[in-house]
């Protein structure tokens, strides 16, 4: 896009004025967070982060950059997520590259990553043998990047084996790019395929820690025509009529595939934990189920401990 084809946001290209005019444009465009979006996009147009704006309210944007900003604002007003426009998401203090190949990592998934880190760290203290951790449905690779960064040394020493997989080759490509961008290429075995199908661990090793944020929206929720969801891959969102189709299939694979004494950590949707408790109770596998709640008290992570 060139400046000639983009509407002017304002004749005054100072940061402070741009933030105000972009906020107004996005408010009328229906963004649920117009001020935040405006600050992110304006700062990005300056090649800076949001905090920089506070100290530089009177810096002016060059005309070419103002034209790029105007194009981004129209994309945002059309519902596209800011993260896709900027090309990255700040998540768990990491810069994760994102684009329509994969879901944008959500703040609630930080809880899943933290639980996985705590679990692996605890096992490293208790256990002498190598610990195998596998993130199924890695998407952008955000959780796996966090794990590989935290356990880089243990992986190098052979104390931890990390694996990640996804059914989408495009998502897996993005995950691989994110690992490389963080200097973590080669630390994680990657595989493409349905759930636990990919051979990412050397046989007969089974995962001690299985981590998954599978699609858990209902088809109806995933199809809702408005908002940012329509820009994200449908296969990352749609969990079938009750949202539990993919999770149900993974649970059914646990008795044959989760190591004795292993744990599965699953992110779930609000209100789904009880259904998962019942599904686990029906498995031919003795297991204990616990949950971790997010800051709003919603049970977000289900923890399944195989006896
Ligand atoms: C909700 S996204 C989670 C992505 C990433 N782990 C995150 O938390 O941001 C779900 C991911 O599951 C993948 N997926 C969907 N069905 C799958 C299946 N049957 N087997 C493996 N991965 C699947 C999608 O491609 C998508 O990347």
């Amino acid at each position: 896009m060139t400046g000639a084809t983009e509407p002017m946001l304002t004749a005054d290209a100072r940061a402070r004025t741009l933030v105000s005019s972009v906020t107004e444009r996005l408010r009328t465009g229906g963004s649920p967070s117009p001020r935040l979006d405006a600050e992110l996009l304006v700062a990005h147009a300056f090649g800076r982060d949001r905090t920089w704006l506070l100290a530089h309210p009177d810096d002016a944007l060059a005309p070419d950059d103002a034209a790029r900003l105007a194009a981004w604002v129209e994309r945002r007003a059309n519902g596209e997520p800011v993260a896709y426009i900027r090309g990255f998401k700040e998540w768990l203090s990491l810069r994760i590259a994102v684009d329509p190949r994969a879901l944008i990592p959500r703040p609630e998934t930080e809880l899943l990553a933290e639980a996985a880190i705590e679990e692996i760290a605890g096992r490293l203290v208790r256990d002498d043998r190598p610990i195998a951790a596998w993130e199924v449905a890695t998407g952008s690779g955000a959780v796996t990047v966090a794990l590989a960064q935290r356990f880089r040394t243990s992986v190098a020493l052979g104390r931890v084996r990390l694996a990640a997989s996804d059914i989408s080759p495009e998502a897996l490509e993005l995950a691989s790019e994110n690992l490389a961008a963080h200097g973590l290429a080669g630390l994680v075995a990657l595989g493409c395929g349905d759930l636990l199908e990919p051979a990412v661990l050397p046989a007969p090793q089974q995962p001690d820690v299985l981590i998954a944020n599978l699609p858990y929206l209902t088809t109806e929720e995933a199809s809702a025509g408005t908002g940012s969801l329509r820009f994200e891959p449908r296969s990352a969102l749609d969990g079938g009529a009750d949202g539990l189709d993919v999770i149900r299939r993974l649970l059914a694979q646990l008795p044959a595939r989760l190591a004795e004494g292993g744990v599965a950590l699953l992110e779930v949707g609000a209100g789904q934990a009880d259904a998962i408790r019942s599904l686990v109770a029906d498995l031919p596998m003795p297991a204990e189920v616990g949950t971790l709640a997010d800051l709003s008290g919603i049970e977000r992570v289900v923890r399944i401990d195989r006896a």
Side-chain angles (χ1 to χ4, degrees):
M1 293 253 191
T2 67
T5 59
E6 290 309 323
M8 291 293 289
L9 290 164
T10 163
D12 179 352
R14 284 177 303 160
R16 180 202 326 255
T17 323
L18 286 171
V19 168
S20 302
S21 59
V22 172
T23 302
E24 275 325 298
R25 172 70 189 100
L26 295 181
R27 202 187 304 283
T28 55
S31 162
S33 48
R35 173 81 189 192
L36 173 64
D37 295 354
E39 289 179 3
L40 290 169
L41 291 176
V42 171
H44 191 51
F46 278 99
R48 305 285 185 162
D49 63 22
R50 257 174 87 213
T51 48
W52 177 89
L53 290 174
L54 291 173
H56 301 85
D58 293 320
D59 278 26
L61 202 55
D64 280 359
D65 294 333
R68 281 195 309 147
L69 174 63
W72 294 339
V73 171
E74 291 317 301
R75 284 168 65 187
R76 180 66 193 123
N78 186 38
E80 190 171 342
V82 169
Y84 281 166
I85 298 169
R86 294 200 303 165
F88 66 92
K89 173 85 180 171
E90 278 135 7
W91 182 87
L92 208 66
S93 305
L94 296 165
R95 183 179 167 124
I96 301 295
V98 290
D99 61 37
R101 285 178 289 176
L103 187 97
I104 299 162
R106 304 292 202 261
E108 52 267 31
T109 305
E110 294 184 352
L111 189 64
L112 178 69
E114 285 165 351
I117 287 171
E118 198 178 319
E119 181 62 29
I120 297 168
R123 282 172 185 259
L124 269 172
V125 174
R126 295 194 303 270
D127 231 331
D128 279 343
R129 59 188 188 86
I131 295 149
W134 179 355
E135 191 204 359
V136 180
T138 189
S140 65
V143 173
T144 288
V145 168
L147 296 182
Q149 193 168 68
R150 170 64 178 76
F151 296 108
R152 175 199 293 261
T153 308
S154 301
V155 172
L157 293 173
R159 297 275 287 113
V160 170
R161 281 193 184 129
L162 291 178
S165 61
D166 202 285
I167 201 166
S168 154
E170 293 81 20
L172 209 56
E173 193 179 54
L174 179 59
S176 170
E177 289 165 16
N178 269 313
L179 283 163
H182 287 84
L184 302 166
L187 294 185
V188 181
L190 297 175
C192 189
D194 184 46
L195 297 177
L196 299 178
E197 212 170 63
V200 284
L201 294 175
Q205 183 153 35
Q206 306 280 39
D208 302 294
V209 182
L210 197 63
I211 305 129
N213 175 17
L214 294 164
Y216 56 65
L217 297 185
T218 64
T219 300
E220 198 182 335
E221 289 164 342
S223 321
T226 57
S228 302
L229 287 188
R230 72 196 149 96
F231 289 86
E232 296 183 281
R234 180 68 180 259
S235 57
L237 298 164
D238 189 347
D242 65 354
L244 293 170
D245 280 4
V246 195
I247 292 179
R248 212 180 269 115
R249 287 203 301 113
L250 180 72
L251 293 177
Q253 295 181 9
L254 294 185
R257 300 299 307 279
L258 185 63
E260 293 288 328
V263 63
L265 297 165
L266 309 183
E267 180 173 324
V268 299
Q272 290 178 336
D274 279 342
I276 290 168
R277 277 188 198 93
S278 310
L279 290 167
V280 174
D282 290 341
L283 293 178
M285 174 185 97
E288 278 180 23
V289 180
T291 56
L292 298 173
D294 65 17
L295 291 175
S296 332
I298 297 170
E299 291 177 307
R300 274 285 167 202
V301 174
V302 173
R303 179 193 167 97
I304 303 163
D305 276 276
R306 179 172 201 162

